Amino acid sequence: MRKILLLFFYVFISITVFAQSDFRDGYIVTHENDTIYGEIALRSNLKNAQSCIFRNESDVKTYTPNEISTYRIIGEKYYISKEVDLSDKKETVFLEFLVEGTANLYYLKKGSDEFFILEKEGRLVSLTNKESIYEGKDGGTFAKNSSKFRGVMLYFFRDAPQLANKIKQVDFSYKPIIKIVTDYNKSICPNNECVRFEKSTKLNVFMEAVGGVAINKMGLEGSDEYLNSLSPTIGADFVFKPSKAHYVWNVILGVSYQKLDFSGQIDDYDKIVGKYLDFDVQYSLLRFPLKVRYEFPGKKIQPFLSAGLTNSLLLNINSTILNQRSARTQREENAEMENYQFGYCASLGFKYKISDKNYLIFEAEYESRRPRTRSYKILSDHNVNSMMFSVGYAFKL
């Protein structure tokens, strides 16, 4: 198993080192209004606001907001160069274009701060929801979001009083603010088209149907010996790609099934008097992992790392333990097992992209799990370490 794991790790490192950056079809528009088509690196919101990495057949070049007027990653994001006033300091940055109409809406990520920027009749206004420190009646201090952005929006959209109640309750996040601006544009100019570019706000969900093999080792606390079980495993993972951010962080909810059979002897368990313990343990395992996955950039091949927690249910348990006390005598011990186990897991692998809606996945995952509670029963002392190798096919829901 160690050789297989080392080989998989070597392949993972090789793919990660040589993986391409995540370039997508797009174009840039120069200050002379020339449009140049090529590919643009899709990165985080923070990096996208600072520069644009563009490549075509001739070369790769990085553009600043002072060098081009707009750039667009087709089907993903649209950025425009603007001079904005942030914290009493004017800066030229790339703003993500979210809504175009009588009032335009942009988004900017700068450091740990987020800004929504409204534009109407050539005037730009920044919305922020920074934490402020306030002094309480008892002399202590506490932090609270200022919510001043609602007052700014009420003034900015004062010519649409029917939106006032909605603005007073709006949250400082993509979808609610986009809806307010869209509703404003429709109410002021119902015959004009309101264009929304905010595809990045949509939560994408993929389902990965996976199958493979699990190498399981069951041991007892205080013992250096293990019982082995090799079993096929099948399952499904639901991958949630968050809104706004570039799709490098994903949340995984999964379920998998396998049958385990541990049989053999353990000689060095010192909590029971006897020569050795003879185990015959069989059960079905229904496993529910909750993981966070980080994906490295890549156009066709995307390596990834993940880590998380697992909850497992043991079904159809059939277990016996014989204590060989001497050459001639043996005794059957209490072989009851708890039907719930808790553990942690970590994995590495890579995805091979077929299209925007489908990909293949290859993964090696390590898991360690044990019963939730301890008792006098022998199997409350057991733990299981597993190495799982799986392949799968994913599709967008």
Side-chain angles (χ1 to χ4, degrees):
M1 184 176 76
R2 183 176 296 178
K3 290 182 179 179
I4 296 174
L5 182 58
L6 288 174
L7 176 62
F8 199 93
F9 184 73
Y10 174 76
V11 172
F12 171 81
I13 293 297
S14 301
I15 291 173
T16 302
V17 170
F18 294 105
Q20 303 176 11
S21 295
D22 194 4
F23 281 89
R24 308 287 181 94
D25 292 337
Y27 60 83
I28 61 172
V29 179
T30 67
H31 289 303
E32 291 75 32
N33 211 30
D34 294 326
T35 302
I36 305 172
Y37 287 88
E39 293 181 319
I40 296 173
L42 177 60
R43 302 175 295 161
S44 67
N45 289 324
L46 180 63
K47 292 181 178 179
N48 285 339
Q50 297 169 347
S51 62
C52 166
I53 301 177
F54 176 80
R55 76 177 182 188
N56 53 21
E57 295 179 356
S58 58
D59 61 359
V60 177
K61 186 173 180 180
T62 300
Y63 291 96
T64 68
N66 293 312
E67 295 176 304
I68 58 175
S69 61
T70 63
Y71 75 88
R72 188 167 189 175
I73 303 170
I74 296 173
E76 294 288 347
K77 291 176 178 284
Y78 180 23
Y79 286 89
I80 184 168
S81 174
K82 290 278 187 181
E83 185 182 64
V84 293
D85 192 351
L86 303 173
S87 303
D88 300 324
K89 180 182 178 183
K90 289 189 176 182
E91 297 181 51
T92 301
V93 294
F94 285 122
L95 300 178
E96 184 181 0
F97 212 152
L98 299 180
V99 179
E100 183 180 31
T102 303
N104 296 332
L105 177 65
Y106 310 98
Y107 172 79
L108 174 66
K109 176 74 171 177
K110 184 174 176 60
S112 60
D113 297 326
E114 290 183 295
F115 299 88
F116 288 96
I117 291 119
L118 295 171
E119 182 181 37
K120 188 173 71 168
E121 299 174 352
R123 182 188 175 195
L124 290 173
V125 174
S126 299
L127 306 178
T128 185
N129 195 28
K130 284 186 178 181
E131 264 192 1
S132 299
I133 303 299
Y134 297 89
E135 185 174 341
K137 295 180 179 180
D138 59 355
T141 59
F142 61 95
K144 183 181 178 181
N145 294 106
S146 65
S147 299
K148 291 180 180 178
F149 70 94
R150 295 192 183 103
V152 175
M153 293 182 72
L154 284 169
Y155 179 79
F156 206 73
F157 296 142
R158 62 189 181 279
D159 50 345
Q162 69 274 19
L163 296 178
N165 288 334
K166 291 182 179 179
I167 292 173
K168 290 176 182 178
Q169 300 176 26
V170 70
D171 293 327
F172 191 81
S173 57
Y174 258 51
K175 290 186 178 180
I177 291 184
I178 285 171
K179 189 175 188 316
I180 291 289
V181 177
T182 302
D183 289 347
Y184 171 80
N185 286 330
K186 290 179 178 178
S187 66
I188 296 299
C189 297
N191 296 324
N192 290 345
E193 184 180 4
C194 177
V195 182
R196 294 172 60 160
F197 303 108
E198 84 294 352
K199 182 183 176 183
S200 59
T201 65
K202 185 179 179 181
L203 177 67
N204 291 306
V205 182
F206 285 78
M207 178 179 170
E208 298 172 349
V210 295
V213 62
I215 304 171
N216 304 286
K217 291 180 174 291
M218 186 185 84
L220 298 176
E221 186 170 329
S223 170
D224 295 326
E225 299 179 351
Y226 288 91
L227 304 178
N228 298 312
S229 175
L230 180 67
S231 60
T233 177
I234 59 171
D237 289 330
F238 295 90
V239 183
F240 298 87
K241 295 179 177 290
S243 62
K244 291 199 299 181
H246 173 35
Y247 302 150
V248 293
W249 291 104
N250 302 322
V251 177
I252 316 293
L253 293 175
V255 59
S256 65
Y257 175 83
Q258 61 175 299
K259 287 185 176 181
L260 293 93
D261 185 351
F262 296 103
S263 299
Q265 298 177 357
I266 290 182
D267 301 330
D268 61 348
Y269 184 61
D270 56 8
K271 295 184 180 181
I272 297 291
V273 177
K275 295 181 66 176
Y276 61 82
L277 296 175
D278 194 355
F279 288 84
D280 186 9
V281 178
Q282 302 170 5
Y283 58 85
S284 299
L285 184 73
L286 200 57
R287 180 172 169 267
F288 301 92
L290 171 61
K291 299 184 288 187
V292 176
R293 177 189 291 171
Y294 178 84
E295 296 179 356
F296 294 87
K299 188 172 183 180
K300 270 291 187 183
I301 298 177
Q302 278 191 281
F304 63 81
L305 297 171
S306 67
L309 303 174
T310 61
N311 293 275
S312 300
L313 296 178
L314 281 60
L315 310 173
N316 305 318
I317 300 172
N318 184 12
S319 58
T320 58
I321 303 174
L322 293 179
N323 181 359
Q324 192 70 37
R325 299 176 65 87
S326 66
R328 295 183 177 180
T329 61
Q330 60 179 209
R331 184 179 75 183
E332 187 169 340
E333 299 287 349
N334 188 324
E336 292 182 16
M337 292 184 70
E338 184 179 351
N339 64 357
Y340 170 79
Q341 292 180 346
F342 177 80
Y344 59 87
C345 61
S347 68
L348 54 82
F350 61 92
K351 295 168 26 179
Y352 180 81
K353 184 178 179 181
I354 300 172
S355 70
D356 288 339
K357 296 183 178 181
N358 307 90
Y359 58 84
L360 300 175
I361 184 168
F362 305 85
E363 185 172 18
E365 181 174 8
Y366 170 80
E367 180 192 27
S368 179
R369 64 180 186 272
R370 62 175 307 117
R372 175 181 50 186
T373 58
R374 295 289 189 87
S375 70
Y376 64 91
K377 302 168 188 174
I378 294 175
L379 287 175
S380 72
D381 256 355
H382 90 283
N383 59 80
V384 178
N385 295 315
S386 302
M387 194 70 221
M388 292 161 281
F389 301 91
S390 61
V391 296
Y393 174 78
F395 54 92
K396 189 175 182 180
L397 297 178

